Amino acid sequence: MNILHIVMSDSFAGIEQHVNELAGVQKNNSDISLIVSSNIIKKFDKHLDTKEIKNFGRRSIYNIVKLSLLIKNINPDIVHSHGTKTTKIINIVKYFTSFKHVSTIHGIKKNLNAYEKADLVIGVSSKAIANLKVQSKVVSNWWSPMMISNSDIKINEYALSVGRLEKVKGFDLLIKGWQNINSNLVIIGSGKEYEELKSLIYSYKLESKIKIISEVSQDELIKFYKKASVLLVSSRNEGGPRVALEALKNEVPVLSTDVGHMSDILPNEFLAKSDDLNSLTRLLETYVDKIDIYDQSSIYEYVKCEYSVEEKAEQIDQIYRDLLISS
């Protein structure tokens, strides 16, 4: 198969990392090309066939025609768009050239109109594609292949939470629910809610227990996992969350709100209702300070086997094959 992935963004974050890792595995069995913004092309694996294009909006007819010609030259069997903006642009490009269009929804979206013009949509969880009116499949996120530690030594120093400091991640709920917890909490992330969350910590007099750390590299993050007693996901909404998979891959127990694919991985006893402070507080007070007596080892093994990038790439390749056969 000849597969083309397209990402129209100017930052190398979760979606771009997803595409980079997926393409890196797919190139072993298919002809893989990428079209990405010139601002982030150097972030992608240098062994991939990556072509750059300036970022533009869907009203730029000149750039849409230019992109159409580039795609015609590649002549892919499948064009796989990632994210809403990219999908909207590819929906226009289809007027100028023909191909099978697959799009991935990487999170929970209120407006799904752009995705319903694709031939098939992949959602990272069943919740992400619940209201779609087009053929769709679930292929969840995977743990990062870079998240491999050579150390078997584990030190339970603190509870850990990782993510963008935005309302959707529910860090405000996590902080409010920490008042009766004895363990220390480290929150790793950066974002527009940093100052507000710091103020919240001080207002609840939790500055001796809760620390926020920004700008942590992947190598450093592995070290934080190794010192964590538990990984906490407090999100109000979530496509994945991938950080939970990374924690479980590193044999760190997880407590989570019921978002994304977490109900497929964790039993109900380790889940709280999303956007519900009382439910999250009960979960934290029940488990955090004595998490070591609860065995999640079977979950670790399940995640290691079923949530690898190789496993998910094969599922996506099968979706491509089925789509091409049915056309």
Side-chain angles (χ1 to χ4, degrees), residues 291-325:
I291 191 66
D292 56 327
I293 70 173
Y294 297 96
D295 185 9
Q296 291 193 4
S297 57
S298 61
I299 302 174
Y300 304 155
E301 294 307 312
Y302 171 68
V303 166
K304 287 176 186 178
C305 294
E306 299 297 326
Y307 288 84
S308 69
V309 62
E310 291 80 10
E311 176 66 24
K312 300 305 176 181
E314 174 52 35
Q315 291 177 22
I316 292 172
D317 286 347
Q318 188 59 54
I319 288 171
Y320 295 160
R321 290 191 289 266
D322 291 344
L323 182 59
L324 291 172
I325 290 171

Side-chain angles (χ1 to χ4, degrees), residues 57-286:
R58 58 194 176 95
R59 292 182 175 85
S60 177
I61 300 302
Y62 169 78
N63 283 303
I64 286 173
V65 171
K66 187 176 178 181
L67 176 60
S68 300
L69 293 173
L70 180 56
I71 292 174
K72 276 187 177 181
N73 187 54
I74 296 171
N75 192 28
D77 300 308
I78 299 282
V79 171
H80 193 155
S81 63
H82 298 264
T84 303
K85 176 186 175 181
T86 308
T87 298
K88 286 179 178 178
I89 289 172
I90 294 304
N91 287 337
I92 299 171
V93 168
K94 287 188 290 189
Y95 288 104
F96 299 93
T97 186
S98 61
F99 46 76
K100 286 297 179 182
H101 179 200
V102 173
S103 181
T104 292
I105 300 179
H106 290 268
I108 307 297
K109 306 293 182 182
K110 291 181 179 179
N111 191 335
L112 298 172
N113 291 342
Y115 295 96
E116 292 180 345
K117 296 178 182 179
D119 294 301
L120 187 142
V121 175
I122 295 173
V124 294
S125 70
S126 57
K127 295 179 178 69
I129 59 173
N131 298 311
L132 270 177
K133 300 173 183 176
V134 68
Q135 185 181 3
S136 59
K137 301 282 186 180
V138 175
V139 180
S140 70
N141 284 324
W142 49 82
W143 44 266
S144 169
M146 301 297 291
M147 277 289 168
I148 299 174
S149 172
N150 294 322
S151 172
D152 292 327
I153 301 172
K154 192 160 185 316
I155 307 167
N156 296 335
E157 287 190 7
Y158 43 70
L160 179 67
S161 195
V162 182
R164 303 185 315 276
L165 303 184
E166 298 179 6
K167 185 176 180 180
V168 70
K169 295 297 185 179
F171 290 119
D172 57 321
L173 301 176
L174 183 58
I175 292 167
K176 291 174 182 177
W178 208 258
Q179 295 176 75
N180 297 321
I181 306 300
N182 294 321
S183 302
N184 291 329
L185 170 63
V186 173
I187 298 172
I188 294 178
S190 57
K192 58 187 178 183
E193 287 217 330
Y194 176 82
E195 293 298 335
E196 186 176 335
L197 293 174
K198 289 286 285 186
S199 296
L200 191 61
I201 291 169
Y202 280 102
S203 69
Y204 281 90
K205 296 180 170 55
L206 292 169
E207 58 269 28
S208 65
K209 288 186 179 180
I210 303 178
K211 181 189 297 185
I212 299 178
I213 301 175
S214 302
E215 306 301 329
V216 172
S217 70
Q218 260 201 336
D219 288 342
E220 291 171 323
L221 186 55
I222 295 173
K223 296 176 183 177
F224 277 98
Y225 281 132
K226 281 298 177 184
K227 293 183 179 180
S229 60
V230 61
L231 186 281
L232 305 170
V233 176
S234 55
S235 299
R236 291 178 164 90
N237 251 324
E238 186 76 59
R242 177 165 160 140
V243 292
L245 300 177
E246 292 175 346
L248 292 166
K249 168 65 174 61
N250 281 283
E251 300 189 358
V252 178
V254 172
L255 301 173
S256 177
T257 49
D258 187 2
V259 292
H261 52 224
M262 294 314 300
S263 60
D264 297 327
I265 297 172
L266 296 179
N268 287 334
E269 64 183 300
F270 296 133
L271 296 172
K273 294 178 182 178
S274 62
D275 202 11
D276 187 320
L277 177 57
N278 290 333
S279 180
L280 179 60
T281 301
R282 284 195 300 272
L283 183 73
L284 298 175
E285 292 180 352
T286 301

Side-chain angles (χ1 to χ4, degrees), residues 13-30:
I15 291 177
E16 295 72 28
Q17 186 176 335
H18 173 107
V19 174
N20 192 43
E21 291 168 358
L22 174 60
V25 174
Q26 289 180 320
K27 70 180 175 60
N28 296 323
N29 298 307
S30 299

